[in-house]
Amino acid sequence: MRIGLVGPSSLLRKTLSAVAELEDVAFVPLEYVLPREAPDLVDRNQNDLDAVFFCGSIPYCICLDSVRRSVPWSYLPLRTTGLLVALVNAREHLRGRVRMSVDTLSESEVREGLEDCSLDIDAIFTHEFDFTHVSVEEIAKFHLALVAEGKVDICLTCVEAVHRSLLGKNLPAFRVTPARQTIRSAVERLILEVRGQSNTLLLSVVGVFRPEAPFEGRRQYEEAMLKLNGSLVEYAKRRGILAIPRDSSSFQTIETMGQFLLGTSDLTDVSFLSGMSAACGFPVVAGFGVGPSLRIAEEYAAKAADVAREKGKTCYLFDGKSARPLGMSREPAMLFSHFDAEIDGLGKRMGLATPTLCRYVQGLMCFDGTFTASEFAKIVGIQPKSSRKVMNMLLEAGLVRECGVLSYAGRGRPQRLYRATEDAFRFHSRTLTGGGGDVEERSRV
């Protein structure tokens, strides 16, 4: 068995040392300097491997969003026991009450990891970020600003590139790394999962969790979100899956279809959600999406959560074609209205969820003539930088064509002009019959 190890040099050395005694397994180091280099490494090498192991959740999430998984993947979970080691190394900088900045981990995780120690904690500043768009510079600036303002005495980071950057600026920075036993256990679990996996079981499943209750004021809402976060983190630890903040109103879990089927007893047992609601003291609504990429699965999950809230059900699983109520085998599935296989196929080739592709096509129809990427961004509600990427995708799919540039006298670079093609109009006529993303109750055929 050949397993690729993806990570920075220091963690690769530690991982190789921790698994040196495992028999009948050859480990192939795939080293990167920055996490954003991981997708290219995995894409070029995974077909020659039996599995891929990521030395951290950040490169794992980045690859989930951009690389189609063809073999089992797993990642090294961050255990808060690594905090204690980092604090021991930082003891010369600790004077009185501890003030620290921490990235990657949430404040509740940090406090939980330190609750059994005798340290007097004064302040903990944590940095939450989008796992699919990791910026080493942004994380380093977070720590640097807090030190410059005199708010913290030490910086704890889980990202090696950030650690090197902070040390280069002579900041009191210390690295949080998992213990050798944690590494070995995670790799052994991956080895057990390798056998018997199918392509369907390797699909990404994202769960979106939201509190479903009225709250009086901002403080009560924030307390509710902390309770939901704590309950979700505890659930994820028991399952061995990833749980991270999604936005200001929801959290998400990330796992494979194989893990999800095991965790729900083949989609029949969702008692964990009622247990979560009981622990929080308010109802929790959830939706799960399954797809070939993290982005598509997340969009499907958000749709499933909306359906669960509208229908007053516990939760749904949505795969772009039908939304299935979980834990209620006699309930009919909700089919994607007028599901169009051609539109769905094009969306998958472009890496877009079908509702998103339909929204983009409908956005193209808002222009009578030519338009720029910035104008398109305003119509469909995305960032201009993202719009340029979307326009390239639409160009490759033959839904738009370039037809000149728009120049402004004396300021800025020229902007490309685009026009919708006949194929775009053809697809739009099909979305008018229902391909835009609604679901309706119909019996499963």
Side-chain angles (χ1 to χ4, degrees), residues 13 145 250 403 422:
R13 289 194 298 271
S250 63
C403 49
E422 289 300 320

Side-chain angles (χ1 to χ4, degrees), residues 24-51:
D24 301 323
V25 181
F27 294 97
V28 181
L30 303 174
E31 181 181 338
Y32 64 71
V33 176
L34 298 175
R36 63 172 176 262
E37 299 168 12
D40 183 57
L41 286 171
V42 174
D43 193 39
R44 285 190 285 110
N45 291 280
Q46 72 168 334
N47 289 336
D48 297 323
L49 302 168
D50 297 298

Side-chain angles (χ1 to χ4, degrees), residues 12 19 26-27 38 98 111 146 168 197 205 247 265-266 270 296 308 310 317 334 403 418 432 438:
L12 285 179
V19 300
F27 294 97
V98 178
R111 291 193 178 277
L146 289 170
Q197 288 278 13
V205 174
D247 52 34
S265 298
D266 200 16
V270 289
I296 290 176
E310 293 165 5
L317 173 69
M334 301 178 65
C403 49
Y418 302 91
L432 291 177
D438 294 330

